[in-house]
Amino acid sequence: MAKEYTKPLPHPAPESEPFWAAARAHKLKIQKCTSCGNHWFPPSEHCPECLSADHDWIEASGRGRVFSFVTYQRLYNKGWEGEVPYVVALIELEEGPRLLSNLTGIAPEDVVCDMAVKVVFDDVTDEVTLPKFTPA
């Protein structure tokens, strides 16, 4: 039997369900406005640029850069016991939107702003896959 996942899990809102369904398929999808061409995240019913409700879900490249980050040195949730220190980063995707995620595959002290990263997927439960990032 697999080890129980003890970290907090997302509770998708209806407008974000396509994002989480894509993640389960190991795809990173974001919204793109069919009126003005803007890409955005987090998901919403209207384009934050022109307020149009016309949009598509497109597969993002999965590539981006670390815009900012924080290294957690303290344990704030028992789920991360044994994993401190760990990095939470604000990733700016090639398409423009920014999203928060964990950085993996790199020592926390080696993380720098503007470093190139790519998406990886962590199947944490049968129902939830988390997009994370690793150095490109």
Side-chain angles (χ1 to χ4, degrees):
M1 183 175 178
K3 183 180 173 188
E4 181 184 359
Y5 190 76
T6 59
K7 296 174 186 167
L9 292 170
H11 298 283
E15 62 270 11
S16 68
E17 185 49 46
F19 172 82
W20 294 107
R24 284 190 297 275
H26 290 201
K27 295 178 181 181
L28 184 64
K29 288 200 172 182
I30 57 174
Q31 290 172 294
K32 180 179 181 180
C33 181
T34 55
S35 294
C36 73
N38 182 50
H39 297 86
W40 75 89
F41 189 89
S44 65
E45 294 179 0
H46 295 89
C47 173
E49 189 69 27
C50 73
L51 302 179
S52 171
D54 299 324
H55 65 273
D56 291 322
W57 283 89
I58 60 125
E59 187 170 354
S61 68
R63 294 182 303 272
R65 298 203 165 270
V66 174
F67 182 81
S68 185
F69 69 96
V70 64
T71 301
Y72 282 81
Q73 303 285 347
R74 290 183 51 199
L75 185 64
Y76 291 98
N77 180 294
K78 287 188 178 246
W80 277 272
E81 199 163 28
E83 296 181 34
V84 174
Y86 63 93
V87 175
V88 175
L90 184 60
I91 306 299
E92 186 170 72
L93 298 174
E94 281 185 347
E95 293 82 4
R98 296 176 184 158
L99 58 104
L100 284 171
S101 186
N102 289 107
L103 279 182
T104 63
I106 186 170
E109 61 271 14
D110 294 335
V111 176
V112 295
C113 286
D114 206 37
M115 70 182 289
V117 293
K118 63 182 179 182
V119 72
V120 292
F121 295 93
D122 188 359
D123 299 312
V124 296
T125 71
D126 290 341
E127 298 82 28
V128 177
T129 298
L130 299 175
K132 298 182 179 182
F133 288 82
T134 192

